[in-house]
Amino acid sequence: MSETTTPASGAAEAASEPFRYGAALAAEIESRWQDLWEKEGTFNAPNPVGPLAEGTDGGVAAKPHSFIMDMFPYPSGAGLHVGHPLGYIATDVYARFQRMTGHNVLHTLGYDAFGLPAEQHAVATGQHPRITTEAAIGNMRRQLRRLGLGHDSRRSIATIDPDYYRWTQWIFLQIFNSWYDDAAGKARPIAELIAQFESGEREVPGGRAWSALSSVERDEVLGEYRLAYAKEVPVNWCPGLGTVLANEEVTSDGRSERGNFPVFKSKLRQWMMRITAYSDRLIADLDVLDWPEAIKLQQRNWIGRSEGARVDFAVPSGEAITVFTTRPDTLFGATYMVLAPEHALVDSIVPAAWPEGVPADWTGGAATPAEAVAAYRAEAAAKSDVERQVDAKIKTGVFTGAYATNPVSGEQVPVFIADYVLMGYGTGAIMAVPAHDHRDFAFARAFGLPMRCVVQPTDGRSEDPHTWDDAFDTYDSVIVNSAHDDLSMNGLSVVDAKAAVTRWLAGRGIGEGTVNYRLRDWLFSRQRYWGEPFPIVYDEDGAMHALPESMLPVEVPEVEDYSPHTYDPDDAASTPKTPLSRNEDWVEVELDLGDGPKKYRRETNTMPNWAGSCWYELRYIDPANPDKVVDPANEAYWMGPTADKPAGGVDLYVGGAEHAVLHLLYARFWHKVLFDLGHVTSVEPFHKLFNQGMITADVYRDARGFPVPAAEVEERDGGYVWQGEPVKREAGKMGKSLKNAVAPDEIADEYGADTLRLYEMSMGPLDVSRPWDTRAVVGSYRFLQRLWRNIVSESTGELVVTDEEPDEATLRALHKAIDGIRADMAGLRFNTAVAKAIELNNFLVKRGSTPRSVAEQIVLMVAPLAPHIAEELWQRLGHGESLAFADYPVADPAYVVDETVTCVVQIKGKVKARLEVAPSISDAELESLALADPAVVAALGDAPVRKVIARAPKLVNIVTG
């Protein structure tokens, strides 16, 4: 159904200029062309095969293609402000340019529509989140359509559509039914692993036969291999929201990003994605991507690959505490150990009573080690991982009452628990070398623990750490005080010592060299209503079963209450109760999964809002395919590897840098699993990434610090006033909460959508943030008015172009503009492209007339930036077809090169003459010309010329004496 744009009213134009380009005429032109583009499907991109291949001539596969994407927007009920469309306009400009350079362009926009905002609105109002979400999508589509975005609307999707999340669930099942084979370096179907267990090719963990295991026991074994698995894990539990949060959803002060509620550590059964299996590939494949280096660095740091050793410290119970260290060369300096409070071994090593002679400040004032540990655990549970990693000035911890054996020195070292050690990194245990680690040094000082120097200081300090102010931490030295009968590292470099001690540990079976990662498996379940249900059920024994493809989608059920069961925000002991569990008829079902009808219980968690955005590029390619997530031929055409993009992927992906890690990392992981399983040909989802900047705006705050409506603020006497009271101005983001949002509809009403597009593209480099200034919009508006006047009479509406042949000056101005603008378009430098177009248009204004051939070229150049006025002018110039696929102008090199250039002649560094010379002049010709110039001859007088340095065509330097 057509979504006809309502023309703006605008100010009435003067009767003497009925065809003046103003707001009303702009709105009429824009509405008409938007309707025509929609009716004719102008921007519909054909596929090689399938439903969207209809009407093609069969030559699609041979045509160069360009797949251009914006990052998935969330449809806000508040609608768009002018900052939101910046990236959308930019990709539209580039897509239009690509079409005009002969490319088959896929450019569309979908909506990441599941999520907490709509659910919270539903909780507050009782209105189903689908209703509010679809209304928000409708409004956003209307606003974006008014901007003239050339999207293929047939390909637009929303993650809340069952036809879409059917495939989200299908991909989840591919991941669930896969395991990572380290030997093959890829994911393989879980059925192949089961076959290995059944045949005895692979030993079943625990040594029992596969046939002897119950279904629940088999689940537990496979759960250690599956790429999607359910497990009890430490999580961020937010009682105030009634849901578990990912680390990234917790603020640095340990509160929920949404709602600002306290967040606690709790151990709960959750769905996880084994993204860690892909750590090395996620790092290595960054090298073949055309991404900003800053984004690549953030991903590498987030994955956090580090090489070191795993070392076992024996404890009296016969068990061992395993640590990961990047500095095994300092083992002789390990004088105590620290475990994360959640470490599984803590309970088993804690003795009934304190050992004799334990310092009072090690005990936390508790009567027994168990009481001390319990109290400290409760304290640590109230902190987020981010808080725990902050380098606090006051070090906290408590002695467990247990000692471990240093494997190289044989010494008994005390074992503490402390919140600065996390279960999420390494093994959740560290060997502390206080002389050579700053945090360990501070902890040792706080608790009076011993220190031993094992790396020779090179800064003049002694080898007695008790005289130091801080740790000595370096790789550029040699090892000392590190020897016994079987092992000596004294005098070795750090690198050689690491290798020596790792060999020694491995030879005794108490350690080995290994690689560790900061990256943790992805917490993939939420206790919310408005999300994709898991396609998993449990039988009466508790064994899990994946639903067959024929039972997808598992649709979001109706419930009486959309809210999670929330608790007192400080109730750390509470546990989740999911909204889906309220619909018992949906939860308890009878299904036939191949062995007759049986009773099952559905999984009642939902997927996180990241799920739908992990693969949407594939559905853009093949949105109407009922049988496959994407047809292989279509995926290979749009995303397959080529010489220019060896890993394949989307040709251009534009979005904010705030998605540097999470969305991009998750999407890469899902795509690699699909690649391993043979569903896609591309190794990576996004070949080229471009981060656009933000549009900022002034924020005005009253005496209380609250934002006031920016549009109502007045400037007086060098200050700012709102309702008679002074307010303070500061730079900030644009947004509804800051009361400084400017709606794109407002600008389109006053000036037209083309003016808004042009202004946003001209504000500065696309990748740099820039301040919004409504007063400056008129500059773009006036350029379009001058362009219109150069071609159309404002009084009659007739063409005013001439049929004259352009003179050489005009041709040079034209082709220089073509050359520059074309390069700027290809390089996403739209601000400088606009500047060059304005310069050419001003040239035509001063010239006094516009030759038709020049008019057509400038209209084509401006078309990607201001498509409505360009289409209108193109039609008035006599063309019956849309210019969307017209050839973009190509510069004639003969007119791009200047006819002459100015050469500066210097004598002893001072300019004595300026010569107009041909750009192709040689150094020898230029030297002769300079020496013969009368001004140079006069300046030289009788002084002998010692040396002439000619740098054709722009400089001659003459040295005398």
Side-chain angles (χ1 to χ4, degrees), residues 747 751-752 755-756 759 772-782:
I747 305 302
Y751 300 104
T755 293
L756 174 60
Y759 175 65
W772 176 266
D773 184 358
T774 300
R775 294 169 299 181
V777 175
V778 71
S780 298
Y781 184 51
R782 286 170 180 161

Side-chain angles (χ1 to χ4, degrees), residues 150-165:
H151 293 153
D152 183 344
S153 59
R154 304 169 305 163
R155 299 175 183 267
S156 181
I157 51 89
T159 55
I160 61 173
D161 293 337
D163 284 344
Y164 180 85
Y165 68 74

Side-chain angles (χ1 to χ4, degrees), residues 29 83 213 274 592 637-638 667 751 841 860 865 880 892 915 951:
I29 290 171
L213 301 182
R274 207 178 302 278
D592 186 350
Y637 172 72
W638 289 110
Y751 300 104
N841 196 60
L860 291 172
L865 294 156
D892 184 338
L915 311 175
R951 295 289 183 264

